[in-house]
Amino acid sequence: MSAQKQHITSSCIVSGNAVYKDGGRVLGVQSSDLASFLLGVYQHFELNYPKFYKMDNLSKLGWLASEVLLKDSFDKSKYQPEEIGIVLTNANSSLDADLKYWDSVQDVASPSLFVYTLPNIVIGEICIRNGFKGEDALYITPQFDASFLQQQVIYLLDNDILKACICGWADVVGDEYKAALFLVEKSEDGVEFGVEELDRIFNT
Amino acid sequence: MGTSKKDVFIIADNVYTPIGFTTQQNFEQLKIGLSGVQKHDRADLSDVSIAASIFNKDQIFIPGEHTYTKFEQLLIASITEALSHTDIKIDDPKTGLIISSTKGNISLLETEENNEALQKRISLNTSAELVADHFGFINQPIIISNACISGVMAIVTGMRMIQSGQYNQVVVTGADVISKFVVSGFQSFQALSAERCKPFDKNRVGLNLGEGAATVVLSGDEKYKGNVRVTGGGISNDANHISGPSRTGQELGDAIIKAMNNVGVNAEDIGLISAHGTATPYNDEMEAKAIILAGLQNAPVNGLKAFYGHTLGAAGLIETVLAKQCMEQNTLLPTLGFEEAGTAPLNITTAVSKAEIKHCVKTASGFGGCNGALVLSK
């Protein structure tokens, strides 16, 4: 077990038509609905990832938040692929994709919509993009639960199951959404990985 | 590595499926080769006939007046039966509840009007609260929805929560219900077999769906010494494709190795692998490669999907409980549907036989590229 303490080395919030990185607002996008907002974020950061277009809104939201979270903040060459993992939580599971899939069934059931009717697919999308092969998990909680999240992630880091963990919240139903991702590493610097800090950043 | 870890015992369990409502009933059915998978012509599920393991339409799971959905009734029925074998205190602050499901109450979308009230009723949070209140759990239930590894992940999570001292005992339960939502989705993937499925067989063409529930009660109390223990767990991601498995099996292989390293066991110590074995061409090939990469090519491999279909969020739990039963009864079960080798070479079980099983590996894989493995030890 390493002596270094876990710290939040980066954070990203996507909420209310804006994107925040490490507490500072980095982008606001005027848009009438979630899909156009997410596209605006994608275009602003000049991301070039054709898979983005086929994702459902939950995956787009979580994936975009992970791109901003990791950009200029994460040196993945410090770790092996299986040392980096993801723990996400949300309240509404994949309900947004479920509703859209079920609408499609009345006509022709679409496999490309059905695959998103699982809430952990967003984790898979982030793993594919970055080659992360460590442990991951998707838990459903009634609201953002900093204490539960912290416990889960500390277990993984303290037991050397992971060396770096992306954790947080990504939730979508219709045009209601919020993502809050935290990069947690054993490091000298960063924000303490504590419940109060998680709640403070979440409520930015 | 992990040598000082606290023992986590399985002190009670239940399997609740169309072929039996207790672990013992299910195990007896498996020994005589009775499968729950049958052909059904049910317009409410599919326009074409499907082979699936499902409960009768008029099946009553909990008698009396209540407003629980079928999903919640399955959880309650399974937990109730499991708890009848133990005297743990449910309202103890050191007792936890973990619930595993992929789709929970999603079938309500098919029959009810979509509005905010319905969306709340569908939420896994609502079901978890109802189930927790039914039994009087005081801690907030933990809900895992991680595709087809949910059940395995739920047991691994329970094990860790006892090892870390957060809980002294944990009730781990899971269920999924088969409805048109799920059937149409697997049909759109052309993943369903029209006949009973054939895990690991050369002529396998796809999976069957199934419904059911299962429960394990875990405890860290040394007074249960002698019971089968949950001793290791490993989870990994393929980082390859959201709906197709890894080509190499490397990542599931890594999850198996991580789980075995937790325990400190070697390949020759593993007396049984309870495989995921969905009987889709790609899953079974990937799984076979993973088992070989983990050095387990000689260990007996058993798959139960031709008995139960794929029970999704319940599968890892149902299959783990039956693997535990195999260990206690010193018995290997046949892999129904398997006739001719059709993957990288494995030692697939084909008949009921006697065997001493000290350690068992349970595997699972799912959409999103997730893989899970756990180890049971005697």
Side-chain angles (χ1 to χ4, degrees):
Chain A
M1 214 178 280
S2 136
Q4 276 178 335
K5 261 197 93 175
Q6 299 105 4
H7 281 96
I8 301 168
T9 52
S10 173
S11 68
C12 174
I13 308 283
V14 183
S15 175
N17 281 338
V19 179
Y20 304 81
K21 166 113 184 200
D22 298 334
R25 185 180 159 112
V26 290
L27 177 66
V29 180
Q30 288 303 321
S31 60
S32 53
D33 62 24
L34 177 57
S36 59
F37 166 71
L38 294 169
L39 183 62
V41 176
Y42 177 83
Q43 288 168 338
H44 172 84
F45 289 103
E46 298 179 337
L47 301 167
N48 182 12
Y49 194 64
K51 281 196 182 99
F52 174 82
Y53 295 97
K54 66 173 186 59
M55 293 179 199
D56 76 324
N57 280 350
L58 176 62
S59 288
K60 281 180 177 167
L61 174 69
W63 183 85
L64 285 168
S66 74
E67 287 291 299
V68 177
L69 178 83
L70 300 176
K71 192 173 183 291
D72 307 323
S73 303
F74 186 53
D75 177 10
K76 77 175 176 191
S77 68
K78 284 197 296 190
Y79 306 102
Q80 296 298 312
E82 50 289 349
E83 293 172 342
I84 310 168
I86 303 176
V87 177
L88 293 187
T89 57
N90 78 16
N92 287 293
S93 185
S94 54
L95 180 63
D96 188 66
D98 295 348
L99 294 168
K100 287 171 180 154
Y101 169 71
W102 185 243
D103 276 346
S104 88
V105 173
Q106 319 309 324
D107 187 14
V108 179
S110 156
S112 54
L113 290 178
F114 182 65
V115 70
Y116 288 100
T117 65
L118 292 164
N120 63 305
I121 299 298
V122 55
I123 293 175
E125 294 283 14
I126 299 169
C127 288
I128 291 168
R129 163 68 160 181
N130 298 286
F132 298 157
K133 294 189 172 185
E135 175 153 341
D136 45 50
L138 189 293
Y139 298 98
I140 309 285
T141 56
Q143 54 274 318
F144 179 68
D145 188 338
S147 160
F148 173 74
L149 189 64
Q150 188 223 29
Q151 267 171 0
Q152 297 307 311
V153 174
I154 283 188
Y155 184 94
L156 295 171
L157 295 169
D158 275 355
N159 288 278
D160 283 326
I161 296 166
L162 296 177
K163 295 215 163 95
C165 186
I166 293 168
C167 65
W169 174 267
D171 199 35
V172 175
V173 185
D175 288 327
E176 300 283 315
Y177 67 93
K178 179 156 185 167
L181 298 190
F182 308 88
L183 174 64
V184 183
E185 301 172 89
K186 283 176 184 167
S187 152
E188 302 289 341
D189 330 298
V191 177
E192 189 187 335
F193 182 47
V195 172
E196 269 176 43
E197 288 75 10
L198 286 168
D199 275 329
R200 182 176 53 75
I201 299 169
F202 183 86
N203 293 313
T204 298
Chain B
M1 196 184 276
T3 43
S4 62
K5 271 185 187 148
K6 196 170 184 172
D7 279 334
V8 176
F9 304 100
I10 300 179
I11 63 167
D13 54 68
N14 167 268
V15 175
Y16 198 100
T17 73
I19 57 171
F21 299 153
T22 66
T23 301
Q24 204 55 44
Q25 280 174 9
N26 274 278
F27 195 70
E28 293 307 316
Q29 304 283 37
L30 301 185
K31 280 202 295 189
I32 61 170
L34 190 124
S35 166
V37 176
Q38 288 173 3
K39 288 251 188 174
H40 295 274
D41 289 295
R42 287 257 307 258
D44 58 324
L45 294 179
S46 165
D47 299 335
V48 297
S49 82
I50 57 163
S53 173
I54 51 180
F55 293 103
N56 289 330
K57 249 183 146 172
D58 52 3
Q59 173 81 44
I60 294 167
F61 304 101
I62 319 177
E65 290 261 321
H66 60 71
T67 56
Y68 297 122
T69 61
K70 181 176 173 182
F71 166 62
E72 291 148 10
Q73 290 179 55
L74 280 173
L75 291 175
I76 291 170
S78 179
I79 296 170
T80 302
E81 205 280 325
L83 289 179
S84 73
H85 303 286
T86 167
D87 57 358
I88 63 159
K89 268 191 79 188
I90 292 302
D91 60 356
D92 185 325
K94 285 288 204 178
T95 300
L97 172 64
I98 301 178
I99 298 175
S100 150
S101 182
T102 64
K103 295 314 304 168
N105 277 330
I106 202 66
S107 64
L108 297 179
L109 268 189
E110 300 164 20
T111 52
E112 313 290 317
E113 194 195 336
N114 176 24
N115 54 37
E116 214 166 294
L118 179 74
Q119 294 182 10
K120 184 153 193 295
R121 191 67 192 83
I122 287 174
S123 169
L124 283 167
N125 287 308
T126 304
S127 297
E129 195 182 330
L130 287 168
V131 171
D133 287 350
H134 179 90
F135 293 99
F137 287 92
I138 56 175
N139 289 302
Q140 183 173 301
I142 291 158
I143 306 166
I144 295 181
S145 189
N146 212 95
C148 301
I149 75 165
S150 300
V152 166
M153 189 184 275
I155 296 171
V156 171
T157 303
M159 172 192 79
R160 290 174 178 172
M161 287 181 147
I162 290 173
Q163 286 176 340
S164 70
Q166 189 182 350
Y167 293 129
N168 292 338
Q169 53 269 324
V170 183
V171 176
V172 186
T173 188
D176 260 306
V177 167
I178 297 309
S179 75
K180 193 166 193 172
F181 185 102
V182 172
V183 173
S184 62
F186 280 90
Q187 283 171 333
S188 77
F189 265 101
Q190 305 191 327
L192 296 186
S193 167
E195 310 292 329
R196 200 174 69 201
C197 71
K198 300 168 183 284
F200 299 103
D201 189 83
K202 192 177 164 192
N203 298 312
R204 68 189 184 279
V205 292
L207 57 83
N208 304 135
L209 289 166
E211 52 193 8
T215 301
V216 296
V217 183
L218 305 177
S219 170
D221 193 330
E222 285 293 318
K223 77 176 179 192
Y224 297 108
K225 224 173 178 59
N227 284 38
V228 170
R229 293 164 294 146
V230 186
T231 44
I235 314 281
S236 68
N237 196 287
D238 290 341
N240 174 54
H241 195 281
I242 51 169
S243 58
S246 153
R247 284 179 198 285
T248 61
Q250 183 69 54
E251 297 77 15
L252 174 60
D254 288 345
I256 296 172
I257 291 167
K258 272 195 261 183
M260 286 169 58
N261 285 345
N262 266 183
V263 196
V265 289
N266 299 316
E268 56 274 19
D269 301 322
I270 304 299
L272 169 65
I273 299 168
S274 171
H276 192 49
T278 60
T280 62
Y282 290 115
N283 174 80
D284 291 7
E285 181 62 34
M286 181 281 285
E287 201 172 3
K289 287 176 176 164
I291 289 168
I292 292 166
L293 284 171
L296 298 172
Q297 57 278 2
N298 297 320
V301 176
N302 175 236
L304 296 176
K305 294 290 194 292
F307 288 105
Y308 294 113
H310 191 342
T311 52
L312 308 174
L317 275 150
I318 289 174
E319 292 159 11
T320 297
V321 173
L322 292 161
K324 170 194 168 257
Q325 199 68 18
C326 288
M327 296 172 79
E328 287 177 345
Q329 310 284 332
N330 298 315
T331 300
L332 292 173
L333 293 169
T335 301
L336 188 67
F338 172 81
E339 285 170 0
E340 200 180 336
T343 63
L346 293 176
N347 176 14
I348 310 275
T349 59
T350 55
V352 178
S353 64
K354 285 284 163 199
E356 172 70 20
I357 308 161
K358 284 279 289 176
H359 302 276
C360 162
V361 168
K362 170 78 202 111
T363 56
S365 297
F367 278 179
C370 52
N371 304 294
L374 63 77
V375 179
L376 301 179
S377 302
K378 214 157 44 173

